[in-house]
Amino acid sequence: MSETILITAPLLMKGLWLTIKISMWTVALGSFLGFVIGLIRASRMKILKAALGVYIHCLRGTPFLVQLYLIYFVLPATGVEWLKFEAFPAAVIALSLYTSTYVSEIVRAGIEAVPKGQVEAARALGMSKWQTLGHVILPQALKLMIPPMTGVYVLIIKGTSVVSVIGITELLRAGEQAALRYPSELMTLYGLVALLYFVYCYPVLRLGRWAETKFGRIENSL
Amino acid sequence: MDNNKNKTVKNFIIKVEEVSKTFHTKGRKPVVALKQVTLQVEEGEVLVIIGPSGSGKSTLLRTLNGLETVDAGHIWIDNVDITRKETNLNQIRQKVGMVFQQFNLFEHKTALANLTLPQTAVLKTSSGKAEATAMALLNKVGLEGMERSYPSQLSGGQQQRVAIARSLVMKPQIMLFDEVTSALDPEAVRGILELMESLAHQGMTMVVVTHEMGFARRAGDRIIFMDGGEILEEGTPQIFFDNPQHPRAQFFLSQVL
C-alpha cells in the first residue's frame, strides 16, 4: 500500500497543484467579476441591473457542465480566433463566470444589509457616494460577506473536479489515472484524493473563521 | 423676542418656498407629505416643528439638507438653491448638520473615529488635527474617556452625544434635529435636551422636530405646527401653547400636554 502511495504521489501532487492553480485563478477572477456585478446590482443603475439579473439567472439556471461544454466545445466551433480556448483557460473562464453569480449575490446582500441610516448619516455629513461606499458601507458589508464567501470558495475548490471532463488532469483525474494503474488500491487512492482535497479546503475554512473574528471583533448590535 | 417685527431686514439662512412632496410606493396609495410649504428661518433662530406623526415634519426637515428631494418648489440654504440639479449638495451638507432619531453612528468605528472620518474625508483635515478637534468636542459633550468605545458599547444617550458631536466637527451653520430624543430613556432625554439648549444659547441656527413640548417652549424662538403636510399654525411658543388657534393644533396640544 505504502509503495503504491509513493509511486503515485508525484501524479497526485501534480493533480493537486493543478487544482490549486485552477481554483486560485477562479477565486480571483470570479470574486473580482462578482464584486463589480454585486456593486452594480446594489446601485440604482436600473437597466444595467436588470441585464445583470438576466446574466445571473441564466448562469444559475443551467448546469455548470453545460456551460463548460459551451465554452470549450461550442465557442471554438464558431471559428472566431480568440474564442478557441485551451482546456485550462476554458475551465477557468467557465468556473469564474459561474462563481461570479454567487459572489455578486453575496456582495449585493451584504451591501443591502447595511442599515440605510448609515448611508444617510454619511451623506448628511457631506461625504460623496464613493466616500460613503468606501468608508461606511463596504467595511460593514465585508464583515457580513465573509462567512458565505468562505463557503463559496470551498465549493469552488471541490467544484474544480468537474473540469476533469475536458481533459484536465487535476486532482480527481489524477486519482482516476492512478486507480486505473493500481485497481486493487482503489480504496487507498480515492481516500488519498479525498484527504488532499480536505487538506486544501480546511485551511480555507479556518482562514474564513479567522477573518470573521478579526473583522467582526466588535459585536454588532444591529 | 421681536423676531417677527424685523423679518424684512433680517437675513434668512433658510428659505423654503412652496415646496411639495408626494411619496409613491409600489402597490400603495401615494402619500402627500408636503403641500406647498413656505417658511423662513433666520440666522441664530431656533425653529421647532411639532405635529402628529405622518404630518410631514420629518420630511420637511430632511428636504433641508437634500436627503429628501422635492417635487416642486425651492429651498435656499445660505442663498444657494439646493433644489437645483447643478447645486453641489455635498458642499451644502457641510454647512447643515443633522442628528437622527436612531443616532446612525458608524457602527464599525470608535466614537473618536466617528468624529475624525468626516473631517479627513470631507474637509481633508490632517488626521492629527482632526483627532484634536474630535477629542475637544467629545469632552465638550461630556464623553471624556469614551473616545475608544464603539457605538454598541455606549448607552443610547451617549451615542446621541457622539452623534451631535460628529455633526459639530463640520462646524455647521445650521443644525437639524429629527426627533433625537424619541429613542432614549427619560434620563438621557434630559441630558440631550440640555445639550441642545446650550447649543441654542451659543447662537446656533436650529430646526428641531420634536415631541418634547417642554423643550419647545423653553428653547424655541418660534413654533410651527404641521398636519397633513401643511403648516397650520406658526408663532412664538407663548402664543402657540397658551392660545392655539387652529382646531387641529388645539386638539393636538390637548392630547400631548
Side-chain angles (χ1 to χ4, degrees):
Chain A
M1 180 180 121
S2 56
E3 203 177 310
T4 321
I5 293 175
L6 273 178
I7 296 168
T8 55
L11 178 64
L12 292 183
M13 289 325 255
K14 243 174 107 181
L16 176 64
W17 175 234
L18 204 51
T19 290
I20 291 174
K21 266 205 313 198
I22 294 174
S23 53
M24 287 295 180
W25 272 105
T26 300
V27 164
L29 291 176
S31 299
F32 175 76
L33 191 59
F35 200 80
V36 173
I37 295 172
L39 281 182
I40 295 170
R41 291 271 289 164
S43 75
R44 287 193 199 156
M45 296 182 255
K46 273 189 189 156
I47 297 169
L48 211 49
K49 256 172 92 165
L52 289 170
V54 173
Y55 164 87
I56 288 169
H57 287 308
C58 284
L59 282 172
R60 280 193 171 188
T62 54
F64 172 69
L65 209 48
V66 175
Q67 296 162 21
L68 184 64
Y69 284 164
L70 272 174
I71 289 172
Y72 187 59
F73 295 121
V74 180
L75 288 187
T78 57
V80 182
E81 200 53 44
W82 58 273
L83 288 179
K84 288 178 183 164
F85 298 116
E86 299 283 321
F88 184 84
V92 168
I93 289 168
L95 277 168
S96 297
L97 293 178
Y98 187 71
T99 305
S100 74
T101 65
Y102 286 91
V103 171
S104 67
E105 289 300 274
I106 291 170
V107 170
R108 183 187 59 77
I111 288 173
E112 284 172 358
V114 175
K116 225 178 130 209
Q118 297 285 307
V119 178
E120 288 189 346
R123 299 309 303 275
L125 286 161
M127 289 167 73
S128 69
K129 269 184 197 169
W130 290 107
Q131 287 173 332
T132 304
L133 184 70
H135 291 297
V136 178
I137 301 174
L138 285 185
Q140 297 187 60
L142 224 47
K143 194 167 69 184
L144 304 169
M145 294 176 201
I146 292 169
M149 214 73 110
T150 314
V152 167
Y153 291 159
V154 169
L155 282 177
I156 294 168
I157 294 171
K158 294 187 290 185
T160 53
S161 57
V162 176
V163 304
S164 59
V165 299
I166 57 169
I168 295 176
T169 315
E170 42 64 69
L171 184 53
L172 180 65
R173 179 71 166 234
E176 276 171 12
Q177 287 177 358
L180 280 176
R181 256 182 266 169
Y182 303 96
S184 58
E185 303 283 2
L186 208 61
M187 182 76 178
T188 315
L189 287 169
Y190 280 124
L192 203 57
V193 166
L195 183 70
L196 287 174
Y197 273 113
F198 181 78
V199 164
Y200 182 21
C201 289
Y202 187 68
V204 174
L205 285 169
R206 294 300 304 184
L207 191 71
R209 180 62 65 80
W210 171 82
E212 209 179 312
T213 46
K214 180 171 174 5
F215 297 114
R217 194 178 48 228
I218 292 303
E219 268 306 301
N220 210 326
S221 59
L222 301 174
Chain B
M1 304 238 179
D2 44 10
N3 287 334
N4 294 318
K5 280 182 205 162
N6 300 326
K7 240 179 189 171
T8 46
V9 290
K10 288 220 174 161
N11 184 25
F12 294 122
I13 192 161
I14 302 174
K15 278 186 283 186
V16 178
E17 202 177 273
E18 307 212 331
V19 160
S20 297
K21 169 86 184 178
T22 306
F23 285 107
H24 299 274
T25 321
K26 252 186 204 165
R28 277 195 219 161
K29 264 200 210 161
V31 179
V32 180
L34 297 173
K35 278 187 221 164
Q36 299 197 312
V37 172
T38 296
L39 72 95
Q40 296 86 22
V41 182
E42 288 166 15
E43 224 172 324
E45 189 180 9
V46 177
L47 176 71
V48 180
I49 306 174
I50 62 178
S53 54
S55 59
K57 53 194 196 307
S58 275
T59 306
L60 175 60
L61 193 75
R62 290 162 56 85
T63 60
L64 299 181
N65 67 349
L67 274 190
E68 216 71 77
T69 57
V70 302
D71 299 337
H74 292 275
I75 297 169
W76 286 269
I77 300 291
D78 204 13
N79 293 316
V80 177
D81 186 351
I82 66 165
T83 55
R84 281 164 53 109
K85 272 214 169 88
E86 302 82 53
T87 305
N88 182 346
L89 272 179
N90 294 340
Q91 249 165 37
I92 299 297
R93 284 168 176 158
Q94 294 171 34
K95 298 185 195 174
V96 187
M98 187 170 199
V99 186
F100 302 86
Q101 182 179 347
Q102 298 299 336
F103 329 131
N104 294 351
L105 290 179
F106 303 135
E107 297 288 335
H108 61 304
K109 292 198 177 289
T110 61
L112 184 69
N114 263 277
L115 270 68
T116 51
L117 173 61
Q119 297 182 74
T120 51
V122 181
L123 303 175
K124 310 291 176 204
T125 318
S126 70
S127 59
K129 220 172 144 194
E131 212 159 284
T133 310
M135 291 296 268
L137 263 167
L138 283 174
N139 289 347
K140 203 177 143 194
V141 299
L143 288 173
E144 217 166 345
M146 303 280 191
E147 56 277 347
R148 302 285 165 199
S149 304
Y150 283 85
S152 58
Q153 297 166 324
L154 297 170
S155 72
Q158 289 169 332
Q159 288 190 59
Q160 199 58 296
R161 283 169 192 271
V162 176
I164 291 172
R166 181 176 66 177
S167 285
L168 292 174
V169 292
M170 303 302 284
K171 302 198 171 58
Q173 293 172 264
I174 302 165
M175 284 285 280
L176 309 175
F177 294 89
D178 192 4
E179 295 192 32
V180 296
T181 56
S182 298
L184 300 176
D185 60 82
E187 208 176 331
V189 168
R190 191 147 36 94
I192 294 298
L193 293 179
E194 278 167 13
L195 186 57
M196 289 165 67
E197 278 173 62
S198 82
L199 263 179
H201 283 308
Q202 289 159 35
M204 177 67 79
T205 307
M206 294 169 42
V207 182
V208 184
V209 169
T210 188
H211 291 296
E212 296 291 334
M213 297 304 145
F215 171 85
R217 200 189 259 271
R218 281 196 311 275
D221 292 320
R222 192 155 49 107
I223 309 284
I224 277 178
F225 175 77
M226 285 185 75
D227 197 7
E230 291 174 288
I231 295 176
L232 296 182
E233 195 156 335
E234 190 179 340
T236 62
Q238 217 175 357
I239 293 170
F240 176 75
F241 284 110
D242 296 344
N243 194 14
Q245 299 299 307
H246 199 283
R248 271 190 276 177
Q250 288 167 358
F251 178 75
F252 179 75
L253 287 177
S254 74
Q255 298 291 303
V256 296
L257 289 181

